[in-house]
Amino acid sequence: MNLSQAVVDFAELAIKTGAYDQLDRLYLQNLILDLIGETTLAENIKPSGQSDSLILSDYLCTVAKKNAKFDDLRANEEIFQAKLMNFLTPTPSEVNRIFKEKYAISASSATDYFFDLSKKNDYIKTRAISKNEHFYAKSSYGDLEITINLSKPEKDPKQIAAEKNAVQSAYPKCLLCVENEGYAGRLNHPTRTNHRIVRLDLVGETWGFQYSPYAYFNEHSIILAEAHRPMKIARVTFERLLAIVDKLPTYFAGSNADLPIVGGSILSHDHYQGGRHDFPMAKAELRSQFALPDFPNVRAGIVNWPMSVIRLTAEKSADLVAASTFILEKWQQYSDDTVAIVARTADGTQHHTITPIARRRGADFELDLVLRDNNTSAEFPDGIFHPHAEVHHIKRENIGLIEVMGLAILPGRLKTELEVVKNYVKGQAVKVADYHQTWADDLKNAYQGEKIDDYIQNALGKAFLTVLEHAGVFKDTDEGHAAFARFIAELR
């Protein structure tokens, strides 16, 4: 590849994405030249047909670095590359116009356009995501999904030091604020130059629709409030989630819980997640059914799942909103000391909320309500219904929306740690991390010589199942079933 050919090919991609017109070609090529620190372009160069934006941008970044356009810090290289990829990205108004135009054909046409653009302009980090390890593990509830997250690069010491010395700023207020759209970034805030947000009307309020840069599943998207305000599960939450799946019927839409311990990593900004993925919990069948006398048009049941899930189905979304609000309000006030379920502690703190997930089932709307409780105790200081100490070596973080639905997001450290565990199980003299030792001993004692990779993956699946069982408020036991039945009786 040579410089002139790369510039011409990159300009061609920018035109094809709709960011520029053919008449803009010379202007665009000169902008690219200036950005990478060059001044000369060969004559009569025609597009070669190279369509891989990452190959071209990597080459142009190499030229720019040689020309001292950025230094060795990864953050500064990412900031530069996002500026380069911004040439492939139409303006926010144009992206919204095209999305609306394609939506008139079908919702899938619109999301296909936006998803493809977000990959081509490297907002979705496809190369990094491809490093993640993903597999399925069998369980009595169906196949669980396991991902070892290797996509986010570790920060080197220079980067960490630079971030500490960087100027602090409250703009944008958080990573989800709409002000991130087009933000160049800085050492302590990621670049978003090539980031675009599609506006959606949800229950009379404008929300933003975007994709996740480090997606955990297919078309992993985020729907965020324009205002920077805390998350809150309420009637309007159900209305918005059902409105999302009505507008985007091939997507699910769900919300993290709104309380610490059981909530997601960002509770300060009201947002939901969605995407085109069929999670293990969505495939789970009902363990039992029950009637809601006040809501005759709603079919209700308990999902056969390690966490405590009520599934509601109806033809009209308004019926689901009414029934879900009723269940939420009942759960927020419900206690059962026999199974350590306490709605409010003596100081008045509320401990009960719901993780809701909406989807379409043909002509019907479906809503899963996962009951959550964030109480702690002397025995379980991290949370009674949170991963307990025995599985912290695998998963200690909050069990948020994605994990609730049966997809484990496990830390990248496990990649190397599990290799040591594998060798230990096979009888090699290796040093296992202290927090894995008990688990590794159990695995070694039970090992029967089967394929070691399958054996360890199966063990991870069992550990994740234990995590979900810990997070369930009504356990899948005779005692738990009886307790769940007592709560259901409160709904009749």
Side-chain angles (χ1 to χ4, degrees):
M1 186 180 297
N2 62 67
L3 172 65
S4 295
Q5 188 66 66
V7 170
V8 169
D9 285 345
F10 200 72
E12 176 71 6
L13 286 186
I15 292 168
K16 286 184 176 179
T17 63
Y20 294 86
D21 292 330
Q22 285 290 348
L23 191 59
D24 300 321
R25 180 179 293 280
L26 292 176
Y27 162 79
L28 175 57
Q29 291 172 173
N30 286 329
L31 289 179
I32 296 169
L33 276 176
D34 180 66
L35 183 65
I36 64 176
E38 294 288 335
T39 58
T40 304
L41 193 69
E43 295 182 0
N44 300 319
I45 302 294
K46 303 298 181 184
S48 71
Q50 173 60 265
S51 61
D52 192 320
S53 58
L54 294 176
I55 290 176
L56 291 170
S57 66
D58 283 349
Y59 176 83
L60 294 174
C61 279
T62 300
V63 173
K65 188 173 184 178
K66 181 193 68 176
N67 291 333
K69 286 295 184 175
F70 57 87
D71 56 25
D72 289 332
L73 288 179
R74 183 188 296 273
N76 286 330
E77 181 173 355
E78 290 175 347
I79 288 171
F80 182 87
Q81 189 156 31
K83 289 179 180 178
L84 194 58
M85 286 299 195
N86 194 46
F87 286 121
L88 305 186
T89 315
T91 62
S93 60
E94 183 66 4
V95 169
N96 275 266
R97 186 195 67 76
I98 296 172
F99 186 92
K100 185 176 181 180
E101 181 182 87
K102 291 185 178 294
Y103 189 87
I105 300 170
S106 72
S108 289
S109 295
T111 53
D112 286 349
Y113 157 72
F114 192 33
F115 185 57
D116 186 59
L117 173 67
S118 300
K119 288 186 294 182
K120 283 182 176 176
N121 76 351
D122 199 38
Y123 180 72
I124 297 176
K125 304 298 182 183
T126 54
R127 285 188 296 192
I129 294 166
S130 68
K131 298 176 183 177
N132 292 340
E133 294 193 356
H134 179 273
F135 57 91
Y136 291 90
K138 293 186 181 300
S139 81
S140 58
Y141 302 94
D143 289 348
L144 301 176
E145 291 187 75
I146 313 294
T147 293
I148 297 178
N149 181 19
L150 303 169
S151 58
K152 291 188 179 181
E154 294 184 10
K155 297 176 181 178
D156 60 34
K158 287 183 179 180
Q159 176 78 27
I160 294 171
E163 287 184 9
K164 287 181 179 179
N165 296 324
V167 175
Q168 300 300 308
S169 172
Y171 181 87
K173 295 184 181 68
C174 77
L175 294 175
L176 294 182
C177 283
V178 292
E179 289 82 7
N180 282 282
E181 187 174 37
Y183 187 67
R186 54 184 191 270
L187 289 177
N188 52 9
H189 191 97
T191 178
R192 292 291 184 261
T193 311
N194 55 334
H195 173 40
R196 298 295 182 265
I197 302 174
V198 167
R199 268 54 176 189
L200 296 177
D201 177 76
L202 298 180
V203 196
E205 186 177 61
T206 300
W207 281 59
F209 169 64
Q210 66 182 58
Y211 287 102
S212 173
Y214 294 96
Y216 294 131
F217 52 85
N218 187 41
E219 299 187 37
H220 183 178
S221 54
I222 300 169
I223 302 95
L224 52 98
E226 280 197 322
H228 180 75
R229 65 188 183 216
M231 294 186 66
K232 179 67 176 175
I233 302 296
R235 180 187 185 93
V236 71
T237 305
F238 307 130
E239 292 176 332
R240 291 185 189 126
L241 292 177
L242 291 164
I244 292 168
V245 299
D246 189 32
K247 291 177 181 292
L248 307 175
T250 61
Y251 279 26
F252 83 90
S255 175
N256 273 306
D258 56 348
L259 296 179
I261 297 177
V262 297
S265 58
I266 300 179
L267 299 181
S268 60
H269 195 113
D270 204 2
H271 72 285
Y272 312 124
Q273 296 182 71
R276 195 185 302 221
H277 187 70
D278 204 13
F279 284 87
M281 192 177 79
K283 301 174 186 177
E285 297 182 352
L286 296 180
R287 190 176 72 212
S288 62
Q289 299 182 55
F290 61 90
L292 291 171
D294 292 341
F295 308 96
N297 296 323
V298 175
R299 303 186 297 279
I302 296 173
V303 180
N304 183 36
W305 193 247
M307 295 186 70
S308 307
V309 187
I310 293 173
R311 177 168 292 163
L312 305 178
T313 308
E315 183 178 345
K316 295 181 179 179
S317 61
D319 291 328
L320 287 189
V321 170
S324 301
T325 304
F326 172 74
I327 293 171
L328 171 65
E329 292 173 351
K330 284 286 188 180
W331 176 240
Q332 287 175 328
Q333 304 301 321
Y334 184 79
S335 295
D336 186 342
D337 293 338
T338 67
V339 285
I341 289 173
V342 179
R344 291 181 182 273
T345 42
D347 61 0
T349 301
Q350 179 180 309
H351 292 286
H352 283 181
T353 187
I354 279 174
T355 300
I357 302 103
R359 62 184 75 90
R360 295 300 301 267
R361 293 291 191 194
D364 288 335
F365 290 90
E366 186 173 272
L367 197 57
D368 283 350
L369 306 177
V370 188
L371 307 180
R372 311 302 301 273
D373 178 316
N374 78 339
N375 275 288
T376 60
S377 67
E379 183 181 5
F380 302 113
D382 293 316
I384 298 171
F385 305 102
H386 178 81
H388 297 168
E390 68 191 80
V391 290
H392 282 178
H393 66 108
I394 298 297
K395 181 73 173 178
R396 185 169 188 163
E397 298 82 5
N398 292 5
I399 302 308
L401 173 68
I402 297 172
E403 287 90 356
V404 162
M405 295 186 290
L407 171 56
I409 309 298
L410 302 181
R413 62 175 171 80
L414 289 176
K415 170 70 174 176
T416 53
E417 293 174 358
L418 289 178
E419 289 302 316
V420 178
V421 170
K422 289 177 187 177
N423 292 331
Y424 181 80
V425 169
K426 290 189 294 184
Q428 296 181 21
V430 293
K431 173 61 177 173
V432 174
D434 290 343
Y435 45 79
H436 285 312
Q437 190 65 61
T438 299
W439 183 59
D441 286 337
D442 290 342
L443 293 178
K444 184 176 181 179
N445 292 334
Y447 185 54
Q448 299 294 317
E450 57 264 51
K451 187 177 179 181
I452 190 64
D453 287 345
D454 293 343
Y455 184 69
I456 296 299
Q457 288 182 358
N458 183 53
L460 278 177
K462 289 179 179 178
F464 179 50
L465 176 57
T466 300
V467 165
L468 295 180
E469 290 171 339
H470 289 171
V473 294
F474 297 114
K475 307 305 181 186
D476 192 4
T477 62
D478 290 343
E479 181 187 27
H481 293 178
F484 208 159
R486 289 195 292 273
F487 174 65
I488 297 301
E490 294 291 316
L491 305 179
R492 298 190 176 111

